[in-house]
Amino acid sequence: MTLPFNWKNGIMALTVAAAALTGCVPVESSSTGTGASGTAAIRFEDAVYNPDVRSVQFYALSNNVGDVLAPPVVSLEQSSALVLEFDRMTAPRGRAVVKLQHCDARWQPSQLQPLQFVQDYNEFYIQEVDPSGGTKVPYWHYSFRLPRVKLSGNYVMEVSEEGGSPLLTRRFVIYEQQVQVALRPVATPGAGDRYERQQLDFNILYGQYPLVNPSQEIKVVMRQNHRWDNVKYFTRPTFIQEAQRRLEYQLFDVEQAFLGLNEFRAIDTRSERFSGFGVERRDVSGSPDRVFAITGRSRAREVYSTQPDANGKFIFGSREYGNAPLNADYQQVTFSLHSPEPAPGPVYVFGALSDWQLQEPFRMTYDAEKQLYTGTALLKQGYYNYYFAVKGANGQADARYFEGSHFSTENVYDVLVYYRPPGTRADLVIGYSTIQFNPQR
């Protein structure tokens, strides 16, 4: 059921205390962008600005079938649409508004005006808003299909309350396949690092595409498992073969290779009656239900062990009721990690469930007597991948400390090729390619 936007008083109040509704990213603007009302700044990254917003998914839809594990990267032809879904934990009082912003290769706003990259007026309303059904924790589910755009490049989608503050932002990429990218896994140059890191050399074949000064104007981004928090930027090719119309990137610096890390830990909370994978026990006596994950241990010194995973991502589901968007309930999930001594920095549950960020709601506390880290987060029923990560001195996530790192780990890599044609004001994405490193059979 899609509800009109004239809700009346008396809508069921949320039964979970507001203090439990953690999971937001604090609004600390690092840009000059503004929200829909012009009163609150946004960051040009994946972020949630209101603790009322939960369970954000952003994925491609092809032939009316969605792949929630697919990254929000689609061709300019847009045979595959992009779909945004999220929940709000209290009844909305007004419409949600979507705006798009074109960005450069470094995720700063481009100098383009909206009419140069959107088909119509740059303001879209989310019409599909439905209440949850049969859940202990009530919520409202939003669904929105993005409109077509005119140009390739990086985009940030901002969702705000009409006339109010921002709710969330999400990044997505539109590409044109004007050049071809050939990826090749290779061994890293360092003797000790070749057992921990993964490296890919690549060529860009530009054929008849009229590249001007490619050594200066081409920028390349490589990602691991579609993450933006640890991308590698390449601003110059190693060699330019003009006769073959080829740019060669051969990586000699070990820091240009990725840590392979480990297969992700997993927990399956989709059943309300049985303990799924990674679940030690459940307590359904209260509201919301409580789920306790199996206590983890450090894998830093263990040998690599193959296990299937979703490369750090998650899917929602309800095995009893089936309709995940509206019937999957919210649960308090407690994670625990045995550690004989405290880590050199704060420890977090880390993955797509935390937007690949070290968020305070996922921070764990250490009990020296029990030699145990614990942390609890409110999560929608689903299958989740995660790491235990330490906050390093540079503020970045260090997953290797507890997870270890192996060349043999299965990971997905993709490459985005950016080009700014002479006389233009925007970085276009003219090539895209993806490869599975160590595919599991």
Side-chain angles (χ1 to χ4, degrees):
M1 172 178 67
T2 300
L3 297 181
F5 293 89
N6 58 350
W7 298 285
K8 299 180 181 180
N9 294 331
I11 297 176
M12 181 182 299
L14 181 64
T15 57
V16 179
L21 299 180
T22 54
C24 66
V25 177
V27 181
E28 297 175 358
S29 175
S30 60
S31 70
T32 58
T34 59
S37 63
T39 60
I42 65 167
R43 300 195 304 274
F44 291 87
E45 60 183 42
D46 297 337
V48 175
Y49 305 92
N50 189 321
D52 190 47
V53 174
R54 295 273 178 173
S55 305
V56 182
Q57 285 185 310
F58 194 24
Y59 58 90
L61 183 71
S62 180
N63 297 321
N64 292 320
V65 177
D67 181 0
V68 296
L69 299 180
V73 179
V74 296
S75 167
L76 183 63
E77 300 173 356
Q78 289 180 278
S79 56
S80 299
L82 290 174
V83 175
L84 171 72
E85 295 189 67
F86 64 94
D87 296 337
R88 295 195 68 179
M89 308 307 290
T90 57
R93 293 172 292 182
R95 293 185 292 185
V97 183
V98 176
K99 289 186 176 182
L100 305 182
Q101 172 66 58
H102 192 278
C103 295
D104 64 17
R106 293 278 183 171
W107 292 102
Q108 294 300 308
S110 69
Q111 301 180 36
L112 300 180
Q113 297 299 313
L115 284 177
Q116 295 177 275
F117 57 81
V118 295
Q119 302 287 348
D120 301 304
Y121 185 63
N122 189 21
E123 190 170 274
F124 312 92
Y125 294 100
I126 299 180
Q127 303 290 348
E128 295 184 42
V129 184
D130 299 284
S132 62
T135 59
K136 287 185 177 181
V137 179
Y139 58 87
W140 297 73
H141 183 74
Y142 288 66
S143 182
F144 177 73
R145 184 180 298 197
L146 263 69
R148 295 177 64 90
V149 297
K150 298 177 182 178
L151 291 178
S152 65
N154 287 346
Y155 286 85
V156 166
M157 170 183 56
E158 176 193 353
V159 182
S160 301
E161 293 180 300
E162 186 175 21
S165 57
L167 298 174
L168 65 94
T169 48
R170 278 298 181 269
R171 286 178 279 198
F172 64 99
V173 178
I174 305 296
Y175 69 89
E176 307 169 71
Q177 204 65 57
Q178 301 287 0
V179 301
Q180 301 299 316
V181 184
L183 294 162
R184 181 169 61 93
V186 296
T188 55
D193 290 294
R194 67 177 55 199
Y195 300 107
E196 294 187 347
R197 293 184 180 268
Q198 297 176 339
Q199 178 175 320
L200 293 103
D201 289 350
F202 57 95
N203 294 338
I204 296 176
L205 311 173
Y206 55 100
Q208 300 304 311
Y209 189 74
L211 287 184
V212 178
N213 195 13
S215 65
Q216 298 290 332
E217 299 300 332
I218 288 289
K219 303 178 184 67
V220 181
V221 169
M222 183 182 294
R223 303 188 300 174
Q224 181 190 67
N225 296 328
H226 310 130
R227 297 167 55 178
W228 287 109
D229 64 301
N230 65 347
V231 298
K232 307 292 184 183
Y233 287 91
F234 305 95
T235 56
R236 288 178 178 272
T238 311
F239 304 105
I240 301 176
Q241 306 292 350
E242 294 185 1
Q244 291 80 30
R245 309 283 285 178
R246 183 174 72 239
L247 308 178
E248 298 181 359
Y249 293 77
Q250 297 180 16
L251 312 182
F252 300 107
D253 185 353
V254 69
E255 292 302 317
Q256 293 178 316
F258 288 83
L259 288 171
L261 296 177
N262 213 328
E263 306 299 343
F264 285 84
R265 303 173 193 259
I267 183 171
D268 187 345
T269 66
R270 288 175 289 181
S271 176
E272 294 181 345
R273 299 176 184 173
F274 308 100
S275 293
F277 183 84
V279 175
E280 182 179 84
R281 61 186 176 90
R282 305 174 66 254
D283 180 359
V284 299
S285 61
S287 178
D289 292 351
R290 293 184 63 86
V291 176
F292 297 85
I294 293 174
T295 300
R297 294 181 179 272
S298 175
R299 301 186 291 174
R301 298 185 180 183
E302 295 181 1
V303 298
Y304 173 74
S305 177
T306 302
Q307 63 185 45
D309 67 3
N311 289 325
K313 300 182 180 182
F314 58 83
I315 59 174
F316 300 125
S318 172
R319 295 197 182 278
E320 282 74 32
Y321 300 102
N323 186 6
L326 302 179
N327 296 142
D329 212 337
Y330 277 82
Q331 304 167 327
Q332 291 284 4
V333 181
T334 297
F335 298 89
S336 58
L337 170 67
H338 179 265
S339 179
E341 58 186 13
V347 176
Y348 297 78
V349 178
F350 178 74
L353 78 173
S354 66
D355 281 342
W356 299 108
Q357 299 166 14
L358 299 176
Q359 295 185 1
E360 283 304 304
F362 292 94
R363 182 169 176 168
M364 308 180 78
T365 58
Y366 186 67
D367 185 323
E369 183 177 346
K370 296 181 179 178
Q371 298 184 339
L372 193 69
Y373 279 99
T374 57
T376 299
L378 186 68
L379 297 174
K380 197 171 185 176
Q381 282 181 274
Y383 171 83
Y384 292 87
N385 277 185
Y386 63 96
Y387 282 146
F388 292 116
V390 178
K391 186 176 184 178
N394 59 359
Q396 301 300 308
D398 175 12
R400 179 168 53 172
Y401 184 85
F402 283 118
E403 308 298 348
S405 186
H406 307 277
F407 174 84
S408 302
T409 303
E410 183 274 326
N411 288 302
V412 172
Y413 291 91
D414 60 355
V415 167
L416 298 145
V417 181
Y418 296 85
Y419 176 60
R420 180 172 295 193
T424 64
R425 300 185 297 168
D427 293 328
L428 306 179
V429 180
I430 61 170
Y432 179 70
S433 184
T434 184
I435 190 173
Q436 190 175 16
F437 202 103
N438 295 324
Q440 296 178 359
R441 294 177 175 84

